Amino acid sequence: MTLRISMLTLGLLLSMAACQKKEVSVTYMLSDEQLARLILDVQLGEVALHELTGTKQDSLKNLYWLRLATVYKLSEPEIKEEIRKVENDPEKFKLIMDRVQTLSDSIR
């Protein structure tokens, strides 16, 4: 249920991104496949973190970002910037989110 809510939220972001002006000559540090996997990882992490409170949530969040940084070889600010760039590029966002949906469907 919460995964569906996250997907709906991202759908709304897609709608908003479609209305924004496309950035010119955007360079990504990750491939499309890596971006899709990153976004799925972030969504799953947010769902897991939502179930916790207080110190447990903070501790897991810190460990989670350390793990993302290790896997994707980017810092937390760089990861957030990659996601921001995708969100501001409607065509790429749709492509990536279609792949995220496929990946998400495959883990059910």
Side-chain angles (χ1 to χ4, degrees), residues 40-102:
L40 179 60
D41 287 344
V42 169
Q43 288 178 342
L44 294 173
E46 287 175 0
V47 169
L49 288 172
H50 181 72
E51 300 297 319
L52 302 173
T53 59
T55 307
K56 288 181 182 181
Q57 186 181 55
D58 293 340
S59 296
L60 184 59
K61 185 175 184 176
N62 290 337
L63 290 172
Y64 181 72
W65 279 105
L66 285 172
R67 182 67 182 151
L68 287 176
T70 300
V71 169
Y72 295 99
K73 297 180 179 29
L74 298 174
S75 66
E76 182 178 344
E78 289 171 325
I79 289 170
K80 289 179 178 180
E81 177 64 14
E82 285 292 278
I83 293 171
R84 186 202 62 77
K85 288 188 288 190
V86 171
E87 290 173 342
N88 289 319
D89 184 342
E91 293 171 17
K92 189 162 193 91
F93 189 81
K94 173 150 181 28
L95 176 79
I96 298 301
M97 293 312 298
D98 286 348
R99 181 64 182 138
V100 169
Q101 184 64 51
T102 301

Side-chain angles (χ1 to χ4, degrees), residues 24-42:
V24 178
S25 187
V26 176
T27 304
Y28 292 91
M29 292 183 264
L30 299 173
S31 69
D32 288 356
E33 182 67 18
Q34 289 172 314
L35 286 167
R37 290 180 182 278
L38 169 64
I39 290 172
L40 179 60
D41 287 344
V42 169

Side-chain angles (χ1 to χ4, degrees), residues 1-9 43 46-48 50-51:
M1 182 68 168
T2 38
L3 184 57
R4 287 190 189 266
I5 292 170
S6 293
M7 296 307 277
L8 288 173
T9 302
Q43 288 178 342
E46 287 175 0
V47 169
H50 181 72
E51 300 297 319

